[in-house]
Amino acid sequence: MTLAGRCVIVTGAARGVGRACAVAFARAGADVVALDVGHDIEGVPYPLGSGSQLDLTAELCREAGGVVLTARADVRDSVAVTAAVERAHDRFGRIDVLVNNAGIVAPSGKVVHEVSDEEWALLLDVDLSGAWRAIRAVGPIMTAQRSGSIVNIASTAGLVGYRHFAGYVAAKHGLVGLTKAVALDYAPHRVRVNAVCPGNIRDSAWVEGRMLSEVARSLGVPVDGHETAFTADQPLNALVEPEDVASAAVWLASDDTSRVTGSVVTVDGGFTAH
Ligand SMILES: NC(=O)c1ccc[n+]([C@@H]2O[C@H](COP(=O)([O-])OP(=O)(O)OC[C@H]3O[C@@H](n4cnc5c(N)ncnc54)[C@H](O)[C@@H]3O)[C@@H](O)[C@H]2O)c1
C-alpha cells in the first residue's frame, strides 16, 4: 500500500483511463476523489461519462478498499473545479496527488482550415485549460503542504503530429509544455509535475472506454476491427491497456519517483520510438 493515507483527485474518472487510475490508486491505499462532468457536452460528437458511470467507478474503488468522494464538475468551469477541490480538502485535510485525465478527442477528423472557432476553443478549453484550472485549484494547497504530485495525462499527440487532429495535437503539446513550466514553478515547494503520454489505448470493457472507437470514427477507419487496425502501428504489437497508464500514474505519484519532475513518460508500446 504505497499510497496509504494520501488523497488523490482524478479528473475524468467516470470511465476509461480515469476509472482505471481511480481504482489503481484505491488499491494502492489512497483516498480517492473521482471527478467528472457526468454528462454530455455540446459540440462533442460522442457521449461522455455519465453520473451512473461515475458512481460505478466509486463502487469499484470502495471494493478495492478506498475511501471515495465523487464530484460532478466540468473542468471548463473554474468555480466548479475550485469548489470540488475545496470539498475534497475539507473532507480529507490534504491533497497529495492530482491526475489531470479529463479529456476529449473530438470534434476532430478534418483538415485544419475546416476547424471552426468553436471546435478549436472547445478542445483547448477541455484538454489544456481544464488541466491548468485544476492545477491552479490544488497549487496553493500542495505548495503550503510542501508536498504533492501532479500527473498530466497527455498523449503521444503531445509529442508527434496526427493528421486531421490539429486541435487535439495542439492541446496535448500544450499540456506537455504546461507540465514542464509548472514543474519549475513548483520545484522549490517540493511539488512534482510530470506527464504521461499514452499511445492508442484499447477500449477495455471494464472501464467502458470508447475513445479509440471515436478516433476510428473521426478517421473513417471501420469501427469493427479498429483495434486490429491500430495494433498494426504498435512496435510491441499490442495496444496500450488502461491499467498500463494507471500504473505509470501511481508510480509518478509515489515516493519511488521523489526526484522525478518535469518528465514525460511515454506508455505507447514503442510508437514514438519509430
Ligand atoms: N484512449 C486513448 O487511446 C488515449 C490515448 C492517449 C491519451 N488519452 C488521454 O487519456 C485521457 C482519458 O481518455 P479515455 O480514453 O479514458 O477517454 P474517455 O472518453 O473514455 O473518458 C474521458 C472522461 O473524461 C470526462 N470528461 C470529458 N470532458 C470533461 C470535462 N470537461 N470535465 C470533466 N470531465 C470530462 C468524460 O466524461 C469521461 O468520463 C484523455 O485525456 C485522453 O486524451 C487517451
Side-chain angles (χ1 to χ4, degrees), residues 31 74 100 109 136 150 153 172 204 237 263-264 266:
D31 299 326
D74 188 329
N100 269 320
R136 189 174 57 172
I150 297 171
I153 307 298
K172 292 298 188 179
S204 173
N237 198 33
S263 63
V264 180
T266 52

Side-chain angles (χ1 to χ4, degrees), residues 56-116:
L56 178 54
T57 296
E59 198 180 312
L60 293 169
C61 289
R62 287 188 191 103
E63 280 170 15
V67 177
V68 192
L69 188 69
T70 57
R72 295 275 292 269
D74 188 329
V75 296
R76 296 175 302 167
D77 179 346
S78 291
V79 173
V81 169
T82 303
V85 169
E86 281 172 0
R87 199 156 68 85
H89 193 224
D90 287 348
R91 170 73 177 79
F92 295 110
R94 49 188 303 114
I95 307 288
D96 299 289
V97 182
L98 166 66
V99 181
N100 269 320
N101 163 79
I104 54 173
V105 73
S108 291
K110 48 176 92 164
V111 71
V112 65
H113 61 254
E114 289 172 0
V115 176
S116 70

Side-chain angles (χ1 to χ4, degrees), residues 110-162:
K110 48 176 92 164
V111 71
V112 65
H113 61 254
E114 289 172 0
V115 176
S116 70
D117 285 1
E118 292 73 22
E119 289 168 336
W120 182 264
L122 177 57
L123 263 164
L124 272 286
D125 205 9
V126 176
D127 288 6
L128 176 56
S129 306
W132 165 71
R133 287 186 192 95
I135 291 169
R136 189 174 57 172
V138 302
I141 297 169
M142 289 185 173
T143 53
Q145 283 172 183
R146 290 191 61 74
S147 73
S149 172
I150 297 171
V151 181
N152 294 323
I153 307 298
S155 167
T156 49
L159 301 171
V160 298
Y162 285 89

Side-chain angles (χ1 to χ4, degrees), residues 12 15-17 36-37 48-49 73-75 101 154 168 172 198-199 201 211:
R15 69 172 190 216
V17 172
D36 204 283
V37 63
L48 296 179
D74 188 329
V75 296
N101 163 79
Y168 185 70
K172 292 298 188 179
I201 301 167
M211 194 174 270

Side-chain angles (χ1 to χ4, degrees), residues 39-57:
H39 59 69
D40 295 347
I41 291 180
E42 193 184 337
V44 178
Y46 61 100
L48 296 179
S50 65
S52 58
Q53 286 179 310
L54 185 60
D55 290 342
L56 178 54
T57 296

